C-alpha cells in the first residue's frame, strides 16, 4: 500500500446545504475536544446536492477554510466529494481531499471471466471454515460462494480502483483520503461479503480509509432507524471484527474504519455503536448531511415573524410538489401522505407548534416523522428563493446557530462519541 494521508480515529461528516453554518458546526467539534474527545470534521456534499441547489465543490472548500480560520481550529479537517463516480469526480478534484467513491450502481455487473477466475483462485486460501476473531460462527467459504461474491462485487471494486487511480493521477497518491461506499446498494452486505470486498480492494491497491457498507435495516432521511436493532448490533460488531482482520490479512491502512451514512438521526443506534467501538477500540466515521438544514428551518420557525412565514410557505410549496421533491429520494424516505398536516393546518401553527412538529423529539406528541421527512427533502425550494432565504438566515443568526451547534453536539456527538445522553 502507498503511504497515504490518514484520518484520525473518530471523524464526522457534516453537510451544510447552503454553506453558512460551518462555524456553528465547528463549535460542536471544539466543545467535544474541550471534553477530551478528538473528532475530525469533514464537510461533505454530494454531486446530487450540488446540482439540486446550484452550488459548486469550491464553495464547500471556501466554507470549510473560512470556518476553520474563524474558529482558530488547528487540527485536521477535510472536504468530502461525497458519492462521486468517474462521470462526476472531475469538478471535485481541486477542492476535495476526501473522496467517497460510490460504486453501488456497479454491483452485479460482471467482471471478465479471467478476472473472476484469478480472484477466486487467490481467495481459495480462505476456503473451508474461515475463523475471523470476534465473529462468533466460522464462515463457511466454498468455491461456489467465492464465485457468487465475485460475480456480485468484483466489477464494482474494479470500478472503485479505476476511480481511485483517476483521482490519484490528478492529486498525487497519498494526498487524499479514500472512502469506498456501497450504502446505496439494494441489499445489505454480510460481514463475510465485506471481508471479501476488502480483499478485492486490497488487490486493486486502493488505500481504503473508510468503507461504507449497506447495513441491515432502513436508514431513512432525518428519522430514526427502522429495523431490528439487536441484529444491527450483532452485524455491526462483526463488521468491526472483519475490518480488524482484513487490515492484518491484506495490509490495508491501519486507520481503516467503518463509515455510516446515517441519513441523520439514527438515535436508537448511537448507544449501540458507541458501546461497540469502545469495546473493539475501533474508529468510526459518521456521515450526516440534512440535519443541519432542518436546524435552519427550526431556527427560522422558532424566530417567528418572517422566518416562520417563510417556512410555512415552504411547506405549502413542498406539499403541492410532492412527487418532484420525493423523486431523488424514493429509496430513502417513507412518507405517508395521509398523515402529513395540510398546508392550511400548518399555516395556523404557532412558532412552537411548527418547531415541535418538526424537531426530532419522540417524546413530544406533536412530532411528525412524515412532516420531518417532507421538510428534509425540500431544501431545493429554499434554493429557488435563495436571496430571500439567505437574508433570513443572516437576520436570524443567533437562533439558528445555537440550534445547529446544539444539534450536532448534544444529539449526535454526545451519544455517539462521548457516550453521553446530551
Ligand atoms: Zn451515502
Amino acid at each position: 500500500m502507498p503511504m497515504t494521508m490518514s484520518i484520525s480515529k473518530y471523524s464526522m461528516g457534516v453537510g451544510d446545504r447552503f454553506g453558512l453554518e460551518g462555524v456553528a458546526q465547528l463549535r460542536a467539534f471544539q466543545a467535544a475536544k474541550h471534553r477530551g474527545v478528538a473528532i475530525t470534521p469533514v464537510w461533505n456534499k454530494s454531486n446530487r446536492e450540488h446540482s439540486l441547489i446550484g452550488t459548486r465543490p469550491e464553495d464547500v472548500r471556501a466554507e470549510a477554510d473560512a470556518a476553520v480560520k474563524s474558529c482558530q481550529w488547528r487540527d485536521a479537517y477535510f472536504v468530502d466529494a461525497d458519492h462521486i463516480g468517474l462521470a462526476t469526480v472531475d469538478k471535485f478534484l481541486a477542492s476535495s481531499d476526501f473522496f467517497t467513491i460510490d460504486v453501488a450502481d456497479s454491483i452485479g455487473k460482471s467482471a471478465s471471466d479471467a478476472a473472476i477466475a484469478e480472484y477466486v483462485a487467490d481467495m481459495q486460501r480462505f476456503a473451508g471454515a474461515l475463523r475471523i476473531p470476534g465473529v462468533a460462527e466460522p464462515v463457511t467459504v466454498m468455491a461456489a460462494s467465492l464465485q457468487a461474491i465475485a460475480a456480485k462485487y468484483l466489477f464494482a471494486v474494479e470500478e472503485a480502483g479505476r476511480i481511485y487511480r483517476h483521482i490519484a493521477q490528478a492529486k498525487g497518491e497519498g494526498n487524499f483520503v479514500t472512502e469506498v461506499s456501497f450504502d446505496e446498494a439494494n441489499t445489505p452486505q454480510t460481514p463475510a461479503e465485506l471481508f471479501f470486498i476488502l480483499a478485492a480492494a486490497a488487490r486493486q491497491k486502493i488505500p481504503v480509509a473508510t468503507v461504507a457498507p449497506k447495513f441491515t435495516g432502513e436508514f431513512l432521511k432525518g428519522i430514526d432507524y427502522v429495523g431490528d436493532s439487536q441484529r444491527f448490533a450483532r452485524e455491526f460488531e462483526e463488521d468491526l471484527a472483519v475490518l480488524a482482520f482484513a487490515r492484518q490479512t491484506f495490509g490495508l491502512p491501519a486507520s481503516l474504519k467503518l463509515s455510516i451514512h446515517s441519513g441523520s438521526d439514527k438515535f436508537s443506534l448511537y448507544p449501540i455503536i458507541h458501546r461497540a467501538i469502545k469495546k473493539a477500540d475501533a474508529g468510526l466515521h459518521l456521515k450526516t448531511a440534512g440535519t443541519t438544514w432542518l436546524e435552519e428551518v427550526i431556527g427560522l420557525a422558532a424566530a417567528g415573524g418572517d422566518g416562520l412565514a417563510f417556512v410555512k410557505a415552504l411547506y405549502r410549496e413542498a406539499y403541492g410538489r410532492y412527487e418532484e421533491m420525493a423523486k431523488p429520494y424514493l429509496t430513502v424516505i417513507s412518507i405517508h401522505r395521509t398523515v402529513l398536516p395540510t398546508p392550511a393546518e400548518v399555516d395556523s401553527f404557532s412558532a412552537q407548534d411548527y418547531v415541535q412538529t418538526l424537531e426530532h423529539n419522540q417524546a413530544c406528541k406533536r412530532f411528525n416523522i412524515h412532516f420531518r421527512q417532507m421538510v428534509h427533502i425540500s431544501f431545493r425550494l429554499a434554493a429557488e428563493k435563495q436571496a430571500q432565504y439567505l437574508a433570513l438566515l443572516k437576520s436570524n443568526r443567533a437562533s439558528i446557530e445555537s440550534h445547529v451547534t446544539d444539534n450536532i453536539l448534544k444529539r449526535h456527538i454526545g451519544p455517539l462519541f462521548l457516550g453521553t445522553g446530551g
Side-chain angles (χ1 to χ4, degrees), residues 105-158:
D105 284 348
S106 297
I107 293 172
K109 291 186 185 162
S110 186
S112 72
D113 290 348
I116 292 178
E118 211 178 291
Y119 171 80
V120 171
D122 189 10
M123 293 299 114
Q124 281 300 335
R125 61 194 151 121
F126 301 109
L130 170 62
R131 290 189 181 278
I132 297 175
V135 175
E137 297 289 320
V139 181
T140 308
V141 182
M142 294 177 300
S145 51
L146 289 172
Q147 192 77 32
I149 288 173
K152 193 168 180 189
Y153 292 107
L154 191 59
F155 179 86
V157 179
E158 288 175 349

Side-chain angles (χ1 to χ4, degrees), residues 83 183-184 261:
H83 286 287
D183 66 299
E184 295 190 359
H261 293 203

